[in-house]
Amino acid sequence: MTTATQNDGRPARNQIQFGVFFHGVNFSTIWHWPESGDQLAFESFRRVAQTAERGVFAAFFLGEGLRLREHLGRLHHLDVVGRPDAQTQDAALAAVTSRIGLVATQSTTYNDPADLAYRLASLNRLSGGRNAWNIVTTHNAWTGENFRRGGYVSEEERYRHADAFVTAVKEIWRAGDPAAADRLPLRYRDDFYDLEVRRTLPLGPAGRPVLFQAGDSTEGRDFAAKHADLIFSAHPAYADATEFAQDIARRAKAAGRPEGAVRPFPGSTFVIGDTDAEAQEKWREVQLAQITPQTALAYLEQIWGAPLDAYDPEGPLPDIDPVVQITDVTRGSWGQNYQAKQIADEWRELARDRGWSIREFVIHQAARGNDTNGFVGSVQTIADSLERYADAGIVAGFNISPYLTPTGLDDIVNRLVPELQHRGIYPERYVGTTLREHLGLAPEL
Amino acid sequence: MSRPFTVGIHIDGPGSHPAALGDVGGGAERVLGPDRVRETIARVEAAGFSYATFAGSHLPPQTSPELPARLDPVQQAAFAGPLSSRIGLIPEIPVSYVEPFHTATQLASIDYASVGRAGWLVSAENSPEAARQFGREALDDEVLAAELADAVAVVRRLWDSWEADAVIRELSTGRYIDREKLHYIDFVGRTFSVKGPSITPRPPQGQLPVIVPVAHAAGVDADAVIVSAGTGLAERVAAARELGVAIVIVDLEVVLDSRGERAADRLARLDADRPWPGAAAERFLGTAAELTGLIGELAETVDGVRILPASLDRDLDELRFAVLPALTAAGVHEPPRPGTSLRQALGLPAAENIYAAFGRN
């Protein structure tokens, strides 16, 4: 057997980490199979978090919801919907786990810096240095309808505002250091905020919560390069991931960060079978379950801007043109502000060339190359693929969206993780107790 | 059925006396860590309390200047959820400056994590210092009153915004939810508006019990009010009942004889370190047996008592091993059983849903 560690206990090979993204996004969670559990019961969250911890996962991710998604002007009813408040749920999970990192997605727009800094610091202590903040920068007025200030941040100011917010939070954390107690009350002023902060907690020995960021625009990448430790990216495919890693490294350097200070952590889905062929069959079943006929039509309706229920999901794409020029924001993280007619034309051409029905088209569209990444296959096939990523060092790890709750990680933890450990590209055990230690990040205030 | 008499406890770090930290081995570092929260919840649940309230404030605790802040009460209650099975978990959350939408989902999430044992102690905290942390000004009395009424109303609406049977998982139509059972609340208050629905489905209890200090309860849709103990209690209770609120709870600051040291001596020792602000006449000083007697008398006029121990590390043992067993033996108080919701523990009926009850919006 090969030995996975050198004499000093450090891994001989570059390793990757895993995270789990509970619920994923859109239609990724299958809700109608016999194994599909309760999507909101605390037991489901406990089961996933504890399974992930058994598999030495670095982190458990929770998204944030600030307004329920809509479709054609009504509540979207086809996908799993409804979630707990992220930090509150992380606090409950901190009680029943001891090592795994707990990541809460939190908006810079619909929170207040002093309040969020305090709550993140509190969770930092309560979790023993295991928490992280996945920074998002909502800016639309539609979401703002649930909050006191409404849609007060314009799209142009989105990242300038977020920069001010995160800078304020970091400043407040630093003022919580007992050695800096004479700085309180802390006066903080910039273009957006004028605060006097008295309540702040000292952080644990590992320093501030780990910061994730998920924006993918040029501005989003620069923001991440400046502030984040990890980027929850949408670039899992090898070539794409390589390019993304180089781009981020360049931006981080320009922002004055040391090499390796900001690392990609792409979202991904793994489908394991006894053989590659069996895994592909399973993947097909998963996709058919995710993209129900209704979901396939709704996917197009998002671009067309009108009901398409007169069209057969097993037939060709609609020949009518979209009724909207620009797609709207109410479906949440996907499909905002697209040029509708242009996309419709591209899609129709692609589907015609390939002979795809509506549902078949959406299945291929939604897969986004997942099946060609080597993430669908036998344990050996997936491990071979992941070995390439580990050796190239282009990602810190993968944030896995299981397609089932709460059993979706079982195969990954029982079958894939041991193989990766055997190959020396995945941690055998937790090296420390804090998320910073799991991710190899130095303590930082 | 007569209303059950409840006994709750207030958890404020080391205790409610400003010098209580001195009783904690490990000091501030321990009070601000998970082991202490874990241990405290185990002890108060074993004691048989109906519920624990967790102190919260925008500002550092007045009670313990050595503590820069408390752990977030929402997080403490959530953390305690999976670690307990009987006791109610009630964070103190101010309405001023924070987002009611977040408050609604935070509380609902605690209710899920504790499977129906969460409640809300509404705080009317409002000061220039607190407001400045949000870049805002303190509210005048009238606006604060409106804010309290509106915040409680909107949080309740958000809890109702999903009917209990909204998740249908109907494969034939591809629908995960029946959106007819979700509701835009379109709440327009005096200083804010909220569209809804909540992002968190209806909590297990439907509506969490909402507890409000009596001074701020007028016009607020509360399930329970808290009055202070001491002289004039009967008048205060009568005034509280006038508000039409179901439950009246009396707050009782307590110092007990402990470990061979008389309560008065303990208090003198603590006060020498740092005096306890507030009215000494409203406090109980004495033995466990005397406190048991006093609570038995209070049970004649109020629906519950919330104990604010001067020092958790000293008073909790007396409460756990002497006072609560005696109250149970006397038939005054019954510890909640596993699986009891906080609503049940407080004797509140099953919650209705305004949307389900009055048809579709």
Side-chain angles (χ1 to χ4, degrees):
Chain A
M1 195 182 123
T2 56
T3 147
T5 54
Q6 293 173 328
N7 291 339
D8 62 358
R10 291 161 56 88
R13 295 183 73 176
N14 197 30
Q15 295 192 330
I16 52 167
Q17 309 280 338
F18 282 159
V20 54
F21 185 32
F22 195 92
H23 277 184
V25 291
N26 300 326
F27 40 73
S28 68
T29 306
I30 300 167
W31 48 257
H32 52 82
W33 280 2
E35 312 91 298
S36 303
D38 192 312
Q39 305 295 318
L40 208 83
F42 182 74
E43 269 309 288
S44 295
F45 290 79
R46 183 184 67 80
R47 166 83 151 75
V48 172
Q50 291 183 341
T51 301
E53 191 166 72
R54 183 167 64 83
V56 201
F57 276 42
F60 178 96
F61 269 70
L62 288 174
E64 181 189 47
L66 298 174
R67 177 151 180 186
L68 293 187
R69 294 183 302 144
E70 290 170 358
H71 181 71
L72 303 180
R74 302 185 64 192
L75 291 172
H76 185 55
H77 58 180
L78 304 179
D79 298 343
V80 167
V81 58
R83 57 170 90 239
D85 176 73
Q87 284 208 75
T88 307
Q89 191 77 345
D90 279 347
L93 289 168
V96 292
T97 54
S98 59
R99 292 289 185 274
I100 193 166
L102 299 164
V103 191
T105 303
Q106 301 275 278
S107 163
T108 54
T109 307
Y110 300 110
N111 281 294
D112 284 280
D115 186 52
L116 189 66
Y118 164 70
R119 286 188 288 125
L120 286 163
S122 173
L123 190 54
N124 179 262
R125 299 196 63 91
L126 207 46
S127 67
R130 293 190 284 139
N131 75 322
W133 172 21
N134 182 34
I135 307 166
V136 293
T137 58
T138 338
H139 65 277
N140 59 70
W142 174 76
T143 306
E145 286 182 350
N146 280 333
F147 298 93
R148 289 177 183 274
R149 283 168 295 180
Y152 72 102
V153 177
S154 69
E155 179 158 16
E156 298 71 51
E157 298 238 275
R158 175 184 189 178
Y159 280 106
R160 224 165 61 78
H161 175 269
D163 180 54
F165 189 101
V166 176
T167 303
V169 167
K170 288 178 171 174
E171 197 66 19
I172 292 163
W173 283 339
R174 286 190 203 102
D177 183 356
D182 57 346
R183 296 184 62 199
L184 292 173
L186 172 76
R187 188 76 193 269
Y188 179 85
R189 259 182 295 196
D190 61 26
D191 291 353
F192 297 94
Y193 293 104
D194 181 359
L195 315 173
E196 197 174 293
V197 180
R198 292 162 194 274
R199 179 185 66 170
T200 176
L201 279 165
L203 298 165
R208 65 163 167 77
V210 171
L211 301 181
F212 282 82
Q213 207 269 340
D216 203 17
S217 63
T218 302
E219 281 179 298
R221 289 183 183 199
D222 280 335
F223 177 80
K226 179 176 176 186
H227 286 294
D229 301 305
L230 292 129
I231 302 181
F232 182 12
S233 82
H235 303 279
Y238 187 82
D240 204 13
T242 306
E243 202 175 302
F244 185 78
Q246 287 163 353
D247 182 64
I248 290 300
R250 198 163 45 238
R251 291 173 197 272
K253 193 176 173 195
R257 305 277 300 275
E259 196 183 330
V262 194
R263 304 196 64 205
F265 205 84
S268 65
T269 295
F270 298 138
V271 182
I272 301 171
D274 286 342
T275 62
D276 287 354
E278 192 201 286
Q280 289 296 343
E281 266 173 50
K282 195 162 158 190
W283 175 228
R284 177 73 186 169
E285 278 173 41
V286 166
Q287 289 180 295
L288 284 168
Q290 290 174 327
I291 315 290
T292 61
Q294 294 84 358
T295 291
L297 288 177
Y299 193 95
L300 298 195
E301 286 168 350
Q302 167 70 356
I303 299 299
W304 263 258
L308 299 172
D309 45 7
Y311 290 83
D312 178 3
E314 308 301 339
L317 268 63
D319 42 14
I320 58 162
D321 280 336
V323 302
V324 292
Q325 282 201 318
I326 306 288
T327 61
D328 76 7
V329 300
T330 62
R331 269 291 288 277
S333 57
W334 177 81
Q336 300 182 11
N337 301 319
Y338 287 3
Q339 296 288 340
K341 171 78 164 70
Q342 190 190 330
I343 288 177
D345 286 342
E346 287 169 15
W347 285 7
R348 279 191 289 232
E349 194 187 331
L350 182 62
R352 203 179 311 117
D353 288 353
R354 303 288 174 93
W356 286 335
S357 68
I358 290 174
R359 193 174 181 197
E360 203 61 42
F361 168 78
V362 175
I363 283 173
H364 282 86
Q365 186 73 11
R368 301 253 170 154
N370 211 4
D371 38 358
T372 56
N373 289 340
F375 295 170
V376 175
S378 67
V379 163
Q380 295 300 326
T381 297
I382 298 173
D384 287 347
S385 172
L386 294 178
E387 205 165 346
R388 262 179 99 200
Y389 287 86
D391 287 342
I394 51 175
V395 299
F398 292 92
N399 203 19
I400 301 170
S401 283
Y403 50 83
L404 281 171
T405 302
T407 54
L409 284 185
D410 297 0
D411 264 1
I412 290 161
V413 168
N414 294 337
R415 300 172 68 182
L416 181 60
V417 162
E419 176 60 24
L420 301 178
Q421 288 171 328
H422 177 70
R423 295 185 186 206
I425 57 167
Y426 189 87
E428 294 273 348
R429 61 188 70 81
Y430 290 106
V431 294
T433 59
T434 68
L435 180 55
R436 285 194 166 272
E437 288 170 300
H438 307 338
L439 295 167
L441 299 166
E444 189 177 337
L445 191 66
Chain B
M1 181 189 98
S2 71
R3 188 173 295 290
F5 182 79
T6 57
V7 182
I9 186 161
H10 186 54
I11 298 176
D12 188 359
S16 295
H17 192 286
L21 190 61
D23 288 343
V24 181
E29 192 57 29
R30 179 159 169 76
V31 170
L32 297 176
D35 294 347
R36 165 89 180 181
V37 179
R38 194 181 287 271
E39 207 178 272
T40 302
I41 197 66
R43 291 172 72 205
V44 296
E45 178 163 82
F49 287 105
S50 311
Y51 59 85
T53 55
F54 297 86
S57 164
H58 287 307
L59 296 170
Q62 306 285 316
T63 48
S64 269
E66 293 85 355
L67 295 174
R70 301 170 173 91
L71 290 173
D72 178 44
V74 169
Q75 293 174 7
Q76 288 190 63
F79 186 87
L83 300 176
S84 55
S85 62
R86 300 187 289 160
I87 190 168
L89 304 168
I90 308 176
E92 181 179 17
I93 312 176
V95 299
S96 54
Y97 330 126
V98 299
E99 292 287 354
F101 192 85
H102 292 325
T103 300
T105 59
Q106 286 164 2
L107 286 164
S109 302
I110 302 169
D111 207 40
Y112 276 98
S114 64
V115 199
R117 289 180 289 121
W120 178 17
L121 175 57
V122 177
S123 159
E125 182 181 11
N126 175 47
S127 68
E129 291 78 16
R132 290 291 300 128
Q133 295 194 128
F134 293 80
R136 293 177 54 180
E137 301 303 321
L139 312 175
D140 66 37
D141 290 349
E142 197 186 333
V143 175
L144 177 63
E147 189 83 352
L148 283 156
D150 286 350
V152 172
V154 78
V155 166
R156 286 194 181 283
R157 281 294 172 114
L158 286 166
W159 290 334
D160 275 351
S161 67
W162 290 60
E163 293 182 36
D165 53 355
V167 174
I168 53 170
R169 302 186 191 229
E170 189 178 85
L171 185 58
S172 61
T173 58
R175 294 181 304 158
Y176 176 74
I177 50 166
D178 175 359
R179 62 185 167 198
E180 300 298 326
K181 297 192 172 193
L182 272 69
H183 306 277
Y184 291 103
I185 63 169
D186 286 312
F187 182 90
V188 180
R190 173 144 160 188
T191 64
F192 60 84
S193 60
V194 176
K195 178 80 183 172
S198 177
I199 56 149
T200 309
R202 187 167 178 79
Q205 292 183 94
Q207 289 283 327
L208 278 59
V210 176
I211 305 172
V212 183
V214 71
H216 299 281
V220 177
D221 184 2
D223 296 298
V225 294
I226 291 184
V227 301
S228 55
T231 322
L233 177 64
E235 290 75 22
R236 284 196 296 281
V237 171
R241 300 236 183 256
E242 289 282 296
L243 293 168
V245 175
I247 297 167
V248 178
I249 294 168
V250 62
D251 257 2
L252 199 54
E253 291 179 341
V254 162
V255 191
L256 292 168
D257 286 13
S258 150
R259 304 182 192 180
E261 190 180 12
R262 286 170 44 84
D265 296 337
R266 277 186 58 211
L267 183 59
R269 183 170 55 77
L270 289 167
D271 277 348
D273 202 1
R274 187 173 293 118
W276 198 357
E282 293 169 9
R283 271 174 206 138
F284 174 85
L285 274 69
T287 66
E290 287 162 354
L291 178 61
T292 305
L294 172 64
I295 293 173
E297 282 167 33
L298 287 169
E300 304 292 317
T301 53
V302 294
D303 308 302
V305 59
R306 181 177 73 144
I307 295 174
L308 292 73
S311 161
L312 265 180
D313 291 72
R314 296 292 296 272
D315 293 303
L316 186 51
D317 278 350
E318 297 300 318
L319 294 164
R320 175 180 174 184
F321 297 116
V323 178
L324 269 82
L327 288 171
T328 304
V332 173
H333 163 72
E334 197 178 324
R337 297 198 183 91
T340 307
S341 72
L342 180 58
R343 288 189 73 89
Q344 288 167 338
L346 292 169
L348 291 168
E352 288 183 359
N353 185 322
I354 190 168
Y355 295 107
F358 298 106
R360 311 273 174 240
N361 74 343

